[in-house]
Amino acid sequence: MTQSHPRISKAVIPAAGLGTRFLPATKATPKEMLPVVDKPAIQYVVEEAVSAGLDDVLMITGRNKRPLEDHFDRNYELESALQKKGDASRLAKVQESSDLATMHYVRQGDPKGLGHAVLCAAPHVGHEPFAVLLGDDLIDPRDPLLARMVEVQEQHGGSVIALMEVEPEQIHLYGSAAVEVTADDDVVKVTGLVEKPDAADAPSNYAIIGRYVLDPHIFDILRKTEPGRGGEIQLTDALQQLATDEKIGGPVHGVVFKGRRYDTGDRGDYLRAIVRLACEREDLGPDFRAWLRSYVAEEMQQR
């Protein structure tokens, strides 16, 4: 009989990074506020959490991140101006972000890594399982990864991480998981984790991508976790302890994701994400795709 576990309601979004790969654009603008078509990247992430039933969102921020709070707050002056113009469509878009979820914020302070950022959420999360969503990974809403992860956690307890198969030569860019098959085709049991291994040392080509559903025992481990790769407190190191000792906080499972994922943490992938999402928009797609075909054809002729 399938065991039932407490319903998850809280999501944590680490957003304290400096965004150095996007300088100078991120000198005064948080990287999470860079637009993907006509919405900041961070809004897609919050929308994903809400779609999975997690409407209590804690954002881990840092210095110069005030625009994140402003975006999810009300802007009465702008709303009033749009209302006076009778621009109901744009008014709805402005109000959408402030009505999405119950938002909370805490500053990380020192940038000590993802593990430390997650630890900053402990007072808010308490003793409940919770989700962590990294803002660089955008998951297409037609492929409900987080909802599936929540379902798996409610069935098995413990923690659940998102995995995606990558080419062996790319695994050094990710955390890598050692896995065992289960009765579900898209679910594996995680028996070990390594942060950014060389291809020869990787236990598999299953890469950890930026979605986690975590047992609250992770906080006890993170408090004792020493800085690892890059001199930072690595969330992967703490998960490794959970994976090798189920008595601490239950098992660790992985959901193998084969859907559409957009990486906005890399400049090239950020541009590709914009093109893909713009092409799929009903209001932009037809004209944009036609222009794109024409542009590519002209470029090919010139070469």
Side-chain angles (χ1 to χ4, degrees):
M1 182 176 179
T2 301
Q3 186 176 358
S4 178
H5 293 270
R7 176 69 187 174
I8 300 167
S9 63
K10 294 178 180 178
V12 175
I13 303 177
L18 298 176
T20 53
R21 286 180 288 180
F22 281 84
L23 287 170
T26 51
K27 179 181 178 181
T29 302
K31 68 173 182 175
E32 297 84 4
M33 289 300 297
L34 294 179
V36 179
V37 188
D38 54 3
K39 286 192 297 191
I42 194 68
Q43 184 169 333
Y44 289 88
V45 180
V46 174
E47 288 173 349
E48 180 187 353
V50 172
S51 294
L54 285 61
D55 56 3
D56 184 323
V57 177
L58 174 67
M59 204 167 290
I60 312 298
T61 67
R63 294 185 61 192
N64 302 322
K65 298 286 185 169
R66 184 60 187 268
L68 293 171
E69 299 183 35
D70 291 340
H71 179 71
F72 292 101
D73 199 359
R74 298 291 298 272
N75 187 327
Y76 293 102
E77 294 83 359
L78 178 58
E79 291 178 27
S80 177
L82 292 172
Q83 206 163 24
K84 288 177 181 178
K85 289 182 179 180
D87 195 337
S89 176
R90 287 190 174 88
L91 176 61
K93 291 180 179 179
V94 168
Q95 292 175 332
E96 181 182 14
S97 60
S98 57
D99 295 335
L100 268 175
T102 302
M103 301 294 298
H104 309 270
Y105 305 90
V106 64
R107 285 198 175 192
Q108 184 178 5
D110 296 329
K112 297 179 181 178
L114 177 58
H116 181 259
V118 171
L119 184 55
C120 291
H124 180 79
V125 169
H127 300 288
E128 305 174 27
F130 63 104
V132 174
L133 299 86
L134 304 190
D136 288 346
D137 280 334
L138 302 189
I139 304 299
D140 195 293
R142 294 167 293 183
D143 302 312
L145 170 61
L146 186 60
R148 175 58 174 152
M149 294 174 67
V150 169
E151 179 183 19
V152 171
Q153 198 281 337
E154 290 175 345
Q155 291 175 347
H156 299 287
S159 298
V160 182
I161 62 177
L163 300 173
M164 176 177 278
E165 288 192 81
V166 300
E167 296 298 326
E169 59 269 20
Q170 293 182 314
I171 196 64
H172 71 281
L173 301 171
Y174 302 87
S176 175
V179 302
E180 297 175 352
V181 297
T182 71
D184 296 313
D185 290 340
D186 64 334
V187 179
V188 293
K189 185 174 181 181
V190 177
T191 58
L193 296 157
V194 182
E195 179 66 18
K196 296 182 178 179
D198 293 332
D201 300 325
S204 74
N205 64 334
Y206 282 112
I208 306 169
I209 58 175
R211 297 294 181 272
Y212 309 81
V213 177
L214 301 176
D215 182 274
H217 285 90
I218 195 77
F219 295 131
D220 294 331
I221 298 175
L222 285 170
R223 291 185 183 100
K224 302 173 184 176
T225 300
E226 296 294 329
R229 190 178 180 93
E232 297 181 335
I233 297 174
Q234 298 289 347
L235 180 60
T236 304
D237 292 342
L239 284 167
Q240 162 69 5
Q241 291 193 45
L242 289 179
T244 55
D245 187 355
E246 293 185 16
K247 295 178 182 178
I248 299 175
V252 178
H253 286 86
V255 171
V256 180
F257 182 62
K258 297 181 180 179
R260 288 155 285 200
R261 167 181 173 257
Y262 311 106
D263 183 357
T264 61
D266 173 84
R267 289 175 298 174
D269 284 342
Y270 170 75
L271 294 174
R272 285 186 280 272
I274 293 174
V275 171
R276 289 174 186 147
L277 290 170
C279 284
E280 294 172 0
R281 286 268 295 261
E282 292 183 3
D283 57 338
L284 298 172
D287 289 342
F288 186 67
R289 288 194 299 270
W291 173 83
L292 195 58
R293 292 190 193 99
S294 175
Y295 173 75
V296 171
E298 290 176 6
E299 285 290 303
M300 295 299 292
Q301 288 178 356
Q302 292 177 8
R303 295 184 181 183

